[in-house]
Amino acid sequence: YNLDAFFDGSVEPDYLIPYEQLLLFTWPTALSLIVVSMAIVIAMRWLILPRVRAGTYSIYSVFYFRKWCMALCTEVVLETLNSLFATVYMRYWYKMMGARIGKGSEISTNLAGRYDLVDIGDGNFIGDEAIFGDEEIRNGYMTLGTVKTGDRVFFGNAAIVPAGSVIEDGALIGVKSKMPDSLHVKANETWFGSPAIRLPVRQRVDLGASATYEPPFRMKLWRATFEAMHTSLPTALFIMMGYITASTIEGPIVEGQYLTAFGIVLAAGVVIAIALIMVSVAFKWIMMGTYKPVMKPMWSWWAMRTEACAVLYGGLVGKASLEYMRGTPFLPWALKLFGTKVGKGVLMDWTDVTEFDCITLGDYCVINAHSCPQTHLYEDRVMKVGRIEIGRGATIGSGCTILYDTKIGEFARIEPLTLVMKGEHIPPHTMWQGAPAVPYIAHVAPVPAETKLKAAA
């Protein structure tokens, strides 16, 4: 813009970018913004926290303050650019911040400044929201420790891996599962649940190294290009919508019609939210069509497309609009557009959906906050998708995880933080709790002996 022309109100249309060309400008801008944001965090890491060692530190120390600043900085960037999770760029970013990460490892969690303390082998998979070597704070002190993994280790979503853990080659820590008390998992062992139990066998699928652990170079290049495009698309659309809004209110502001400009901004918020939902819906149906139970390797075009849908859904509407519809009738209406089967009177306090068509919610059921009907798993780098059916009047407590191929019976009640294993059928009118889920047993306080004697007398 010519600033003088802008402020005296004589801006000509030639100064503006035509709306149909906006994406050609905002997309490169979004890519640049992501790269610059990552570079700033890398620079801050080496300036603020150049070295981290295992040990115990006071929460009033300068080191704790620097560690807190670095963790907050990383968290803010990942919260803003959450489409970075689980992309090929995540591990390279962490490597530049000093983490030791082996070839081909997939990471979808925040290491929050503990880069020097992490040693991840080749071909690992660390799922969403995994607690990976987090510091422990107690009695005014922070304790940091190392975490070391072998090759081809799998950590499910929300798995808990404390500092001091050692995990050998080929091991698996399940969804929302803890490490054994020894914090040592031997090669090819599988641990599941809280407290953790060792599973003697588990389903293993081998679809070939070229589609799982050792993809050809052309596939790596295609994935890197495709992820760069869809990772930056949400940011590009936000910039584009902001530009359109700013150009729309320019005239009223120049003419001093501030109330009109304010009204336009309020209306734009609603219009933009609806527009982004419709973009995400269109993207889902064009790219994936209807989701069905399927098994696909991680290095496949199908897996890349569904990850792009999840990124666009989470980055465009999960954070920007649907989060504000939780607990309202509007959220079920919106998810129906994506293909989710939702009955009448359903209360949803959750937006974490991936394979939309594979979820059926019966009439009047309740999904509480931070729960996740998880319709897929990525074990052995194979994406296994299945259906979840939650019956009429059922209640899913806060923080629960329901794995795929599962049916929750009518009016069943799943207590908070419960993990329902894949393939389970929960009977109607029952209560379940724990990880893995077991029938709920009410704990009754023992009756004192004196009371029993008085009652007998």
Side-chain angles (χ1 to χ4, degrees):
Y1 276 124
N2 179 312
L3 291 180
D4 293 334
F6 177 83
F7 285 112
D8 67 17
S10 60
V11 178
E12 297 295 330
D14 292 343
Y15 285 89
L16 299 174
I17 301 171
Y19 288 164
E20 63 272 15
Q21 298 178 19
L22 266 180
L23 205 56
L24 298 176
F25 291 87
T26 59
W27 214 330
T29 303
L31 276 170
S32 303
L33 176 64
I34 293 172
V35 171
V36 170
S37 299
M38 295 169 73
I40 289 172
V41 176
I42 293 169
M44 290 183 67
R45 186 277 192 259
W46 294 111
L47 289 171
I48 295 175
L49 198 67
R51 195 166 191 178
V52 180
R53 293 179 177 176
T56 301
Y57 305 87
S58 169
I59 62 172
Y60 303 105
S61 64
V62 175
F63 175 82
Y64 176 84
F65 178 72
R66 290 188 286 124
K67 163 68 175 62
W68 175 84
C69 287
M70 195 64 238
L72 182 62
C73 179
T74 307
E75 183 179 348
V76 168
V77 169
L78 287 174
E79 188 70 21
T80 306
L81 307 174
N82 59 8
S83 52
L84 281 173
F85 281 124
T87 64
V88 294
Y89 302 103
M90 192 76 172
R91 66 172 174 267
Y92 294 117
W93 186 41
Y94 276 161
K95 279 184 176 182
M96 286 187 274
M97 289 192 284
R100 292 181 292 278
I101 300 175
K103 178 183 176 183
S105 287
E106 303 283 333
I107 301 176
S108 188
T109 194
N110 183 5
L111 297 182
R114 300 181 301 275
Y115 313 111
D116 299 300
L117 307 177
V118 170
D119 190 347
I120 299 172
D122 295 344
N124 279 216
F125 190 101
I126 303 175
D128 297 340
E129 300 178 357
I131 308 300
F132 199 79
D134 282 29
E135 60 273 12
E136 180 177 331
I137 299 177
R138 184 182 298 177
N139 298 328
Y141 288 89
M142 173 183 68
T143 301
L144 294 169
T146 58
V147 174
K148 182 176 176 58
T149 76
D151 297 337
R152 300 192 178 187
V153 179
F154 178 90
F155 300 93
N157 293 352
I160 301 173
V161 185
S165 297
V166 176
I167 304 97
E168 298 183 16
D169 296 351
L172 182 146
I173 309 297
V175 172
K176 199 171 282 185
S177 299
K178 295 176 66 176
M179 290 280 292
D181 293 339
S182 65
L183 299 185
H184 185 186
V185 174
K186 296 180 181 178
N188 300 312
E189 288 186 346
T190 299
W191 290 84
F192 186 85
S194 177
I197 56 174
R198 182 185 172 191
L199 299 183
V201 293
R202 69 176 178 90
Q203 180 189 33
R204 292 180 181 270
V205 178
D206 186 0
L207 297 183
S210 63
T212 52
Y213 289 98
E214 300 172 10
F217 176 76
R218 61 176 177 78
M219 204 65 181
K220 292 180 180 179
L221 181 61
W222 172 232
R223 180 182 169 188
T225 304
F226 186 60
E227 286 186 343
M229 293 171 63
H230 74 68
T231 296
S232 56
L233 181 57
T235 305
L237 290 174
F238 286 135
I239 295 172
M240 185 173 73
M241 295 298 183
Y243 180 92
I244 293 173
T245 303
S247 63
T248 303
I249 66 172
E250 177 188 331
I253 289 177
V254 169
E255 295 172 8
Q257 300 175 0
Y258 301 114
L259 194 59
T260 301
F262 182 68
I264 292 173
V265 170
L266 291 180
V270 177
V271 172
I272 289 172
I274 294 173
L276 293 178
I277 290 173
M278 300 314 297
V279 168
S280 184
V281 168
F283 190 87
K284 181 264 179 184
W285 288 109
I286 292 170
M287 294 296 287
M288 299 306 301
T290 301
Y291 279 105
K292 297 178 181 178
V294 73
M295 190 179 295
K296 295 286 185 178
M298 189 179 76
W299 287 92
S300 65
W301 176 226
W302 189 94
M304 291 185 196
R305 284 184 289 132
T306 192
E307 284 293 338
C309 286
V311 164
L312 205 70
Y313 168 80
L316 267 187
V317 298
K319 296 288 185 183
S321 55
L322 295 190
E323 277 291 312
Y324 305 104
M325 299 182 186
R326 288 167 45 180
T328 72
F330 306 114
L331 182 55
W333 298 349
L335 287 180
K336 283 181 181 180
L337 299 174
F338 290 91
T340 305
K341 304 170 189 68
V342 185
K344 61 183 178 181
V346 172
L347 190 145
M348 303 171 66
D349 195 12
W350 127 97
T351 60
D352 187 9
V353 194
T354 47
E355 292 76 32
F356 305 94
D357 311 275
C358 291
I359 294 179
T360 301
L361 305 178
D363 296 344
Y364 306 110
C365 70
V366 176
I367 314 291
N368 279 286
H370 309 298
S371 289
C372 179
Q374 187 173 318
T375 47
H376 73 263
L377 284 175
Y378 246 134
E379 297 173 79
D380 305 310
R381 298 206 166 192
V382 175
M383 194 173 194
K384 307 163 189 173
V385 177
R387 300 188 189 278
I388 293 175
E389 183 179 329
I390 298 177
R392 182 173 184 267
T395 298
I396 309 300
S398 299
C400 290
T401 299
I402 313 296
L403 297 182
Y404 64 89
D405 290 344
T406 300
K407 290 186 179 180
I408 309 296
E410 291 188 353
F411 296 99
R413 180 172 169 179
I414 309 300
E415 292 293 281
L417 298 177
T418 296
L419 171 59
V420 180
M421 296 178 70
K422 62 183 179 182
E424 289 195 328
H425 288 200
I426 302 300
H429 301 279
T430 57
M431 295 175 62
W432 294 68
Q433 67 176 358
V438 296
Y440 178 85
I441 300 175
H443 296 283
V444 180
V447 180
E450 292 182 8
T451 306
K452 291 181 180 179
L453 289 173
K454 288 180 180 178

